[in-house]
Amino acid sequence: MQRIVILGSTGSIGRQALDVVMKRPADFSIAGLVAFSNREELLRQAEATRPDFVCLVDESAAKQLRDDLGSTASATPTLLTGEEGLLAAAAWEDADTVLNAVVGGAGLAGTLAALKAGKKLALANKESLVAAGKLVKRTLEESSGSLIPVDSEHNALWQCLIGEKDSEVARLLLTASGGPFWGRRPSDLADVTPAEALAHPRWEMGQRISIDSATLLNKGLEVIEAHELFGVDYDRIDVVVHPQSIVHSLVEFVDGSLKAQLGPTDMRLPILYALAWPRRIGPVLPAFDITTVGDLTFESLEPGWAPCFDLALEAGKAGRSYPAVLNAADEVAVAAFLSGMIRFQDIGNIINHALSEHEPIDIDSVDDFTQVDAGARASARQAKVS
Ligand code: NAD
Ligand code: MG
């Protein structure tokens, strides 16, 4: 029986993880749940899973939750609050596994705290690896913890690499659905609305990653994530557009052989894999009938089609603090796009502005990250838009 803490339990990945956990009561139980401010959902989740603790990072929402908990008849979980609450949650003694499903750079603190406490970390928060990959890897190496990627492409690559030698890997091939605008010309996208950009053809996800999938910035973050996680150079990581999202990624070996991982388009599969690792258990999903899938197609992604992807690759190759700036500027730009303040194409312009103003440093601590993150946000807010 594994005791699990979920950071970001009220989000898209968090809710799907709870579904997985509740389908396998003999294997998993919930030690604690952390969210930012959604107390109604957190309360519902706590009633269903009876955790040791719940945590709301937002202090005023937490105050309200204290009253709610006081009025419930069932055994009351401990209430943690604030950023310290999240850190205590990630290091909770009576837990084996931490699933980090927080969105954005805010997830870095939980990643580091879970690894330092020697936990098995199921990592959905790709921003931790993008913004501070070297720091996360060093913390992992110095700890007794482990890190298993939940992001479907990296989870696929991880599975394909088992039993293989680093020296025999030629290339990593990340698949990309292409997002809602694949097949359209970049010049036709200037006036797309947030609703159109949020309507992903294959995956139901949180708002930020949905917009990042429409700009393909997400795929750029994932190339950086793969580089940091697997230690493979950028010139040996490629992206192929595969609109059906059935092949979740591939590894090419020096003999020319390709290994791929396939499965339904459902994040509960990589979540289950990461939570159960190093075992395989289940299933938690209906059987996947490959005869119903139809054609699987693969196309190349041409430079220039997705400016945000190109910027991400440049930032990744430049290294040091550039990927943290990329992430922070994108968070600001996506929020501005969702609130109707800027146009779709301005997302890339804002990121470009923040990257070009940046003076890089090495990110060796959370303080370094915080400083770079704040600077990039300020710079992104000052960018001129069309
Ligand atoms: P989401 O917006 O649906 O949920 C985010 C969660 O994080 C919520 O529970 C929210 O309360 C919490 N949160 C937000 N800010 C916080 C803060 N400052 N402190 C603590 N908690 C905070 O996002 P999502 O789509 O579930 O994505 C979560 C992570 O998983 C992201 O890093 C994303 O890139 C990654 N991911 C998501 C998917 C997907 O299918 N949704 C797939 C692959 C990777
Ligand atoms: Mg992914």
Side-chain angles (χ1 to χ4, degrees):
M1 167 69 79
Q2 274 188 76
R3 302 273 294 149
I4 296 171
V5 169
I6 302 181
L7 312 179
S9 66
T10 56
S12 160
I13 293 288
R15 281 181 275 116
Q16 294 181 80
L18 277 173
D19 183 58
V20 168
V21 166
M22 278 153 56
K23 285 192 168 122
R24 304 292 307 178
D27 298 297
F28 304 130
S29 68
I30 294 292
L33 299 170
V34 182
F36 186 69
S37 62
N38 186 345
R39 70 186 165 81
E40 289 92 355
E41 179 67 16
L42 189 67
L43 202 58
R44 269 194 298 278
Q45 293 180 342
E47 276 161 10
T49 59
R50 303 296 176 91
D52 295 351
F53 71 86
V54 290
C55 172
L56 280 179
V57 172
D58 182 73
E59 303 276 0
S60 64
K63 216 174 270 169
Q64 183 73 51
L65 181 64
R66 195 181 305 279
D67 299 339
D68 297 340
L69 286 171
S71 63
T72 57
S74 51
T76 308
T78 300
L79 177 62
L80 307 176
T81 65
E83 183 70 17
E84 315 83 75
L86 183 143
L87 295 178
W92 192 254
E93 201 177 336
D94 186 21
D96 317 282
T97 300
V98 174
L99 170 68
N100 188 352
V102 170
V103 62
L108 176 63
T111 290
L112 297 175
L115 291 176
K116 279 187 190 140
K119 304 299 181 192
K120 181 174 99 180
L121 173 65
L123 185 63
N125 179 261
K126 67 189 80 181
E127 297 90 343
S128 299
L129 279 167
V130 169
K134 305 282 173 294
L135 177 60
V136 170
K137 278 305 275 283
R138 199 174 65 231
T139 308
L140 173 64
E141 276 152 22
E142 288 168 358
S143 81
S144 59
S146 46
L147 189 165
I148 300 93
V150 170
D151 210 352
S152 56
E153 298 77 1
H154 306 74
N155 190 273
L157 293 170
W158 173 285
Q159 294 190 45
C160 293
L161 288 166
I162 288 174
E164 305 290 353
K165 294 192 183 74
D166 290 351
S167 60
E168 294 173 358
V169 171
R171 274 196 310 160
L172 306 181
L173 279 156
L174 276 83
T175 50
S177 71
F181 305 132
W182 183 244
R184 288 172 63 171
R185 284 198 309 256
S187 54
D188 294 342
L189 302 181
D191 292 314
V192 297
T193 63
E196 289 172 293
L198 285 170
H200 197 279
R202 298 281 162 193
W203 300 96
E204 275 278 330
M205 307 178 287
Q207 292 201 325
R208 197 262 171 126
I209 185 173
S210 296
I211 300 301
D212 286 351
S213 299
T215 61
L216 266 80
L217 190 277
N218 180 56
K219 207 48 58 179
L221 297 181
E222 291 185 350
V223 170
I224 301 172
E225 181 186 11
H227 167 78
E228 297 295 348
L229 191 59
F230 300 113
V232 173
D233 292 341
Y234 283 105
D235 60 1
R236 294 194 297 125
I237 306 176
D238 285 325
V239 168
V240 283
V241 177
H242 167 52
Q244 299 81 20
S245 302
I246 297 294
V247 175
H248 297 303
S249 278
L250 312 92
V251 177
E252 185 184 307
F253 296 93
V254 289
D255 60 358
S257 203
L258 289 170
K259 235 166 126 178
Q261 187 261 345
L262 284 73
T265 312
D266 192 317
M267 285 305 295
R268 288 174 297 178
L269 196 56
I271 291 169
L272 172 68
Y273 180 91
L275 292 182
W277 183 89
R279 298 165 61 215
R280 282 192 190 265
I281 59 170
V284 296
L285 299 176
F288 175 60
D289 181 358
I290 200 152
T291 63
T292 63
V293 165
D295 290 343
L296 299 181
T297 59
F298 301 90
E299 301 161 64
S300 53
L301 174 63
E302 300 303 333
W305 188 80
C308 287
F309 175 81
D310 299 343
L311 282 170
L313 219 55
E314 266 176 49
K317 287 178 183 167
R320 301 191 73 194
S321 46
Y322 281 111
V325 171
L326 172 84
N327 174 67
D330 180 63
E331 285 191 39
V332 170
V334 168
F337 173 66
L338 287 171
S339 62
M341 284 157 55
I342 63 164
R343 302 202 301 168
F344 187 70
Q345 67 189 23
D346 289 327
I347 297 174
N349 298 336
I350 289 174
I351 295 170
N352 194 21
H353 173 84
L355 286 171
S356 57
E357 280 209 325
H358 182 59
E359 294 288 340
I361 62 165
D362 289 322
I363 295 192
D364 290 324
S365 65
V366 174
D367 286 348
D368 292 339
F369 164 77
T370 308
Q371 181 204 323
V372 168
D373 185 79
R377 281 167 198 275
S379 167
R381 286 195 196 95
Q382 281 156 13
K384 287 200 178 55
V385 293
S386 52

